[in-house]
């Protein structure tokens, strides 16, 4: 009789929350301190938004937008330093960090077909020793069995200041992300909520490291 060899498991930490709550900065520092890869799931939606614009796709045509999610030359890579998006072999990550791309991302992320197309790509990053995955539905949909789930919040004015955007723009995107039918921005039942309004980045990171260390031992 052959012995069963159990597959090494990835230790998954999810950080979800609204725009400007500090997810990216906190996740990046966590990834470096824990030496885990850092997956920004927003990069998939922003990258697809960029591709739609590049190919001049009508954003209302769901089939055409979804087809681009399967576009072979659309590639996302993640390591300890962060997530990069490539289109036709060219690194376009730096083109994605503006509110215009974010708004298109938010629009197309409401399509269930698009989310389904990107889901397996995201899950594929859950490899040992583990990952820090940040976004909107990481703890609820992408990695429901994550070892540690954090829901990061902050006041609207603090978030708008951090993003150098006006409160209305941020609040409109939050509303769209929270009200969509599929995988809306929401706190997983087993997530720990941290309000970062009055905390420094280091204080938030230290808090999460404490939670992770506690779980990692068990
Ligand atoms: O996090 P980021 O601001 O880069 O996300 C851009 C947009 O991508 C969000 O406003 C949201 O609409 C979408 N998104 C999502 N699910 C995720 C991550 C991002 O729907 N897990």
């Amino acid at each position: 009789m052959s012995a069963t060899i159990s597959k090494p498991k990835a230790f998954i930490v999810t950080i979800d929350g609204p725009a400007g709550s500090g997810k990216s900065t906190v996740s990046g520092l966590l990834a470096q301190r824990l030496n885990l890869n850092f997956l920004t799931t927003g990069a998939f939606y922003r990258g697809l938004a960029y591709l739609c614009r590049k190919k001049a796709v009508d954003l209302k045509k769901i089939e055409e937008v979804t087809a681009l999610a399967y576009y072979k030359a659309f590639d996302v890579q993640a390591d300890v330093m962060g997530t990069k998006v490539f289109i036709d072999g060219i690194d376009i990550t730096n083109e994605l960090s503006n509110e215009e791309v974010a708004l298109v991302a938010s629009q197309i992320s409401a399509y269930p077909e698009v989310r389904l197309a990107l889901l397996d790509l995201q899950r594929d990053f859950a490899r040992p020793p583990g990952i820090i995955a940040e976004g909107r539905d990481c703890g609820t949909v992408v990695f429901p069995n994550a070892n540690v789930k954090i829901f990061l919040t902050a006041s609207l004015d603090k978030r708008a200041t951090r993003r150098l955007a006006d409160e209305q723009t941020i609040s409109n995107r939050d509303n769209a992300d929270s009200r969509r039918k599929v995988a809306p921005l929401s706190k997983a039942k087993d997530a720990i909520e941290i309000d970062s309004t009055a905390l420094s980045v280091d204080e938030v990171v230290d808090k999460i490291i404490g939670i992770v260390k506690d779980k990692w031992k068990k």
Side-chain angles (χ1 to χ4, degrees), residues 171-188:
S171 146
N172 288 347
R173 186 146 69 90
D174 285 348
N175 284 338
D177 288 344
S178 307
R179 288 185 192 152
R180 68 176 175 232
K181 289 207 178 83
V182 181
L185 163 67
S186 66
K187 180 177 167 240

Side-chain angles (χ1 to χ4, degrees), residues 58-102:
D58 179 348
L59 299 177
K60 293 203 180 80
K61 296 196 170 149
I62 301 181
E63 301 81 36
E64 290 183 27
V65 175
T66 308
L68 283 186
Y70 291 101
Y71 184 67
K72 269 213 172 108
F74 174 55
D75 186 32
V76 179
Q77 293 176 15
D79 63 19
V80 176
M81 297 311 290
T83 305
K84 288 193 165 179
V85 182
F86 297 81
I87 289 176
D88 297 315
I90 296 165
D91 183 352
I92 52 122
T93 316
N94 288 341
E95 314 289 321
L96 306 179
S97 57
N98 59 73
E99 201 52 36
E100 209 186 322
V101 171

Side-chain angles (χ1 to χ4, degrees), residues 41-42 45-46 105-106 109 115 135-137 163 173 177 180:
T41 55
Y45 296 96
R46 285 178 184 255
S106 182
S109 73
R115 301 202 73 86
R136 302 293 183 295
D137 62 341
R163 279 286 168 104
R173 186 146 69 90
D177 288 344
R180 68 176 175 232

Side-chain angles (χ1 to χ4, degrees), residues 15-24 26 150-163 167 170-171 174 185 192-201 204:
I15 318 260
D16 290 306
S21 55
K23 302 184 300 291
S24 259
V26 165
I150 305 292
F151 194 76
L152 202 56
T153 60
S155 68
L156 180 60
D157 68 330
K158 189 87 184 188
R159 294 191 288 113
T161 309
R162 283 176 187 161
R163 279 286 168 104
E167 292 186 15
I170 294 281
S171 146
D174 285 348
L185 163 67
I192 296 166
E193 183 163 341
I194 298 176
D195 184 340
S196 71
T197 309
L199 298 177
S200 69
V201 173
V204 177

